[in-house]
């Protein structure tokens, strides 16, 4: 694929981001207070062996809200997202989905909840197959074994066509024309955009993003921030772990500061960054905090 | 069933083709069964985090060097009339040969598959899980990512099985029917017969056939791997 194609994708996505940013400027930030949170962590504790990581961390994300978790490296942002993504249970405390304890439910119920959560990691972790197959993975594991066998048979004789949702997700990240490329041949930025498309294709209610743009150039970062804004507009709850304060300020409805094994402060970005309640937040934001 | 030694020029093509057929049947079946047994073990050891994991991996790797005659002897004790499986009447049958080749090929396939599975990053497993995969989906995703290594493992297992002579000679008995066609005689055991009787030309012909068979299977494996790599990259 020639560079202009990639640029077209980036330009389209960047335009969507500008439109989305304009709409946010015109309309006052939606009040998320009235909305019941979709995903909540209540006083969760977690330790690696004998070393406690969280003593009592709490946060929640509501539909149509972008919650950014900021904190120094090693604070446990990735682990926190892993607990929210139901990769493992907390040692204590509760993870709730729509108000109900997740780990008190059956495996089937928990799987159903997990399938309403999309996760993007710092590294794209793509499969060694085409871009379209990568994006369609989540849809395939949700289909019956019979459909999956039919899909495998169709693929064996070379008759495969990406589904509408795969195409739509790829268009969202500006990579529709690279659907047939092997995912491992993409650049780092494109690969991360495919990882976003893969998470979006299953139409999740909550999106968990772990340092999603930390390895990307500004153009790809802009594309993915536009995708986050679109997801928010579409009513998804988005949790972003980042140590990029500028990004947190740009994309967040609320910011949670993870320090000393707990969420020390949560609030709108202007409050957290300009007028924080906790003196440790101010020190962390200004870079005075040593850790 | 009659036991009779055979000479390649007398029996001609029937003798030759029956030997090739028995070789392919015994080794192909043994490798297929080994693959079915090896993959779950490779996944369990590769995924698992349990005490003694290194010891288990060491045992599997050690199994790659099992002397085939010792395996043959142990399988013979197992299937002989006085052995625990004696009632099944497996001694001097292709089934006993399959069993001994299964024992020989399984550590090879398991060990190489284990390396292939372990080479798949944890991030890929996490991605499959995060996208809504069940444990079975995650295992399938890992197998798929490790497919080239697994194909290599199967080829190595086939190579070990088809070229093996000691154990199948012991448990199979190197038997041919009265019409000169093979019952438990394979390419390798036939070569030993020809060499012992001084018919070196016949031995060389059978050796060339064995090499051609191994090369053909390896070529098939390479073709599968190249086809897999090419898919989706256009």
């Amino acid at each position: 694929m020639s560079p202009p194609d990639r640029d077209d994708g980036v330009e389209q996505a960047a335009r969507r981001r500008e439109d989305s940013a304009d709409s946010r400027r015109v309309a006052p930030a939606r009040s998320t207070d009235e909305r019941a949170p979709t995903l909540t962590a209540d006083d969760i504790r977690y330790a690696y062996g004998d070393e406690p990581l969280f003593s009592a961390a709490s946060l929640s994300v509501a539909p149509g809200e972008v919650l950014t978790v900021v904190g120094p490296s090693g604070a446990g942002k990735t682990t926190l997202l892993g607990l929210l993504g139901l990769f493992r249970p907390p040692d204590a405390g509760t993870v709730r989905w729509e108000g109900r304890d997740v780990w008190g439910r059956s495996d089937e119920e928990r799987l159903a909840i997990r399938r309403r959560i999309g996760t993007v990691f710092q590294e794209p972790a793509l499969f060694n197959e085409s871009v379209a197959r990568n994006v369609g993975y989540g849809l395939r594991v949700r289909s019956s074994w019979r459909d999956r066998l039919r899909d495998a048979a169709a693929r064996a004789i070379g008759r495969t066509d990406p589904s509408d949702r795969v195409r739509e997700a790829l268009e969202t990240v500006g990579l529709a024309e690279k659907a047939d490329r092997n995912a491992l041949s993409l650049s780092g930025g494109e690969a991360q955009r495919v990882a976003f498309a893969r998470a979006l294709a299953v139409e999740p209610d909550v999106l968990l993003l772990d340092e999603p743009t930390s390895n990307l150039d500004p153009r790809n970062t802009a594309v993915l921030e536009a995708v986050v804004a679109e997801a928010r507009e579409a009513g998804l709850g988005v949790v972003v772990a980042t140590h990029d304060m500028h990004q947190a300020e740009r994309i967040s409805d609320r910011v949670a500061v993870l320090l000393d094994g707990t969420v020390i402060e949560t609030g709108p970005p202007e409050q957290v960054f300009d007028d924080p309640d906790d003196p440790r937040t101010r020190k962390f934001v200004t870079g005075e905090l040593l850790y | 069933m009659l036991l009779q030694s055979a000479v390649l020029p007398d029996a001609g093509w029937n003798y030759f083709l029956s030997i090739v057929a028995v070789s392919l049947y015994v080794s192909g079946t043994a490798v297929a069964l080994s693959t079915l047994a090896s993959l779950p073990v490779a996944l369990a050891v590769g995924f698992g985090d349990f005490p003694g994991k290194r010891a288990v991996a060491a045992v599997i790797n050690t199994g790659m060097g099992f002397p085939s005659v010792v395996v043959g002897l142990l399988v013979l004790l197992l299937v002989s009339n006085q052995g625990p499986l004696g009632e099944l009447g497996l001694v001097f049958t292709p089934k006993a040969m399959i069993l001994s080749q299964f024992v020989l090929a399984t550590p090879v396939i398991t060990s190489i598959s284990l390396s292939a599975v372990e080479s798949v990053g944890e991030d890929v497993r996490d991605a499959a899980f995060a996208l809504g995969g069940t444990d079975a989906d995650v295992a399938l995703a890992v197998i798929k990512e490790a497919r080239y290594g697994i194909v290599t493992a199967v080829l190595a297992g086939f190579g070990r099985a088809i070229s093996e002579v000691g154990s199948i000679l012991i448990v199979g008995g190197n038997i041919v029917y009265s019409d000169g066609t093979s019952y438990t005689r394979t390419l390798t055991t036939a070569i030993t017969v020809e060499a012992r009787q001084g018919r070196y030309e016949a031995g060389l012909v059978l050796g060339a056939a064995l090499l051609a068979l191994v090369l053909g299977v390896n070529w098939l494996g390479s073709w599968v791997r190249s086809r897999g790599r090419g898919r989706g990259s256009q």
Side-chain angles (χ1 to χ4, degrees), chain A residues 71-90:
Chain A
S73 297
K77 299 188 292 292
T78 298
T79 304
L80 181 60
L81 258 60
L83 294 169
L84 290 173
L86 311 185
F87 277 67
R88 60 191 78 87

Side-chain angles (χ1 to χ4, degrees), chain A residues 85-87 111 114-115 117-119 121 123 125-130 133 137-138 140-142 145 148 155-156 180-182 198-199 202, chain B residues 122-142 144-145 147-148 227-234:
Chain A
L86 311 185
F87 277 67
L111 175 65
R114 197 152 59 72
R115 287 181 168 175
I117 300 171
T119 304
F121 305 99
E123 298 296 333
L126 300 182
F127 304 123
N128 185 9
E129 52 189 351
S130 74
R133 296 282 301 173
Y137 180 84
R140 286 198 300 281
V141 298
R142 284 160 176 76
W145 283 101
R148 290 162 78 170
R155 191 163 170 258
D180 294 331
R181 281 272 298 272
N182 185 291
R198 196 166 62 169
V202 296
Chain B
E122 201 169 332
D123 55 347
V124 169
R125 296 184 216 168
D126 286 348
F129 183 84
L131 287 162
T134 59
D135 288 347
D137 294 322
V138 174
L140 281 176
V142 170
K144 207 167 175 190
E145 288 300 295
R147 58 194 180 272
Y148 304 129
R227 191 166 169 267
R229 281 200 191 95
R231 180 178 291 137
S233 60
Q234 295 137 15

Side-chain angles (χ1 to χ4, degrees), chain B residues 101-142:
Chain B
Q101 290 202 345
F102 170 86
V103 175
L104 288 167
T106 298
V108 175
I109 299 176
T110 307
S111 179
I112 301 174
S113 298
L114 176 59
S115 298
V117 165
E118 285 181 330
S119 71
V120 176
E122 201 169 332
D123 55 347
V124 169
R125 296 184 216 168
D126 286 348
F129 183 84
L131 287 162
T134 59
D135 288 347
D137 294 322
V138 174
L140 281 176
V142 170

Side-chain angles (χ1 to χ4, degrees), chain A residues 45-239:
Chain A
R45 291 162 196 259
Y46 194 79
Y48 283 107
D50 295 333
E51 272 194 41
L53 194 58
F54 308 125
S55 51
S58 299
L59 53 77
S60 64
V61 64
E65 177 189 37
V66 177
L67 171 75
T68 303
V69 181
V70 297
S73 297
K77 299 188 292 292
T78 298
T79 304
L80 181 60
L81 258 60
L83 294 169
L84 290 173
L86 311 185
F87 277 67
R88 60 191 78 87
D91 294 337
T94 314
V95 178
R96 297 180 197 281
W97 180 266
E98 293 175 344
R100 284 184 60 202
D101 180 10
V102 169
W103 289 98
R105 301 194 196 188
S106 67
D107 289 349
E108 288 76 19
E109 284 180 304
R110 202 161 47 249
L111 175 65
I113 292 169
R114 197 152 59 72
R115 287 181 168 175
R116 292 168 69 184
I117 300 171
T119 304
V120 177
F121 305 99
Q122 188 172 358
E123 298 296 333
L126 300 182
F127 304 123
N128 185 9
E129 52 189 351
S130 74
V131 167
R133 296 282 301 173
N134 265 275
V135 176
Y137 180 84
L139 298 172
R140 286 198 300 281
V141 298
R142 284 160 176 76
S143 62
S144 67
W145 283 101
R146 193 175 172 181
D147 288 343
R148 290 162 78 170
L149 284 173
R150 198 176 293 150
D151 171 73
R155 191 163 170 258
I157 57 170
R159 288 187 185 172
T160 52
D161 201 18
S163 73
D164 291 344
R165 271 157 78 176
V166 168
R167 278 203 205 91
E168 221 170 89
L170 281 171
E171 278 165 14
T172 303
V173 298
L175 287 175
E177 291 178 14
K178 299 202 173 181
D180 294 331
R181 281 272 298 272
N182 185 291
L184 302 189
S185 70
L186 300 176
S187 69
E190 289 171 335
Q192 191 64 317
R193 283 152 64 188
V194 171
F196 262 72
R198 196 166 62 169
L200 289 170
V202 296
E203 299 182 333
D205 294 326
V206 168
L207 205 51
L208 305 176
L209 311 175
D210 184 11
E211 308 268 11
T213 60
S214 61
N215 297 328
L216 303 187
D217 59 49
R219 291 172 70 85
N220 279 304
T221 300
V223 171
L224 294 184
E225 287 183 5
V227 173
V228 170
E230 278 184 36
R232 172 186 177 275
E233 292 302 315
L236 273 71
V238 185
V239 182

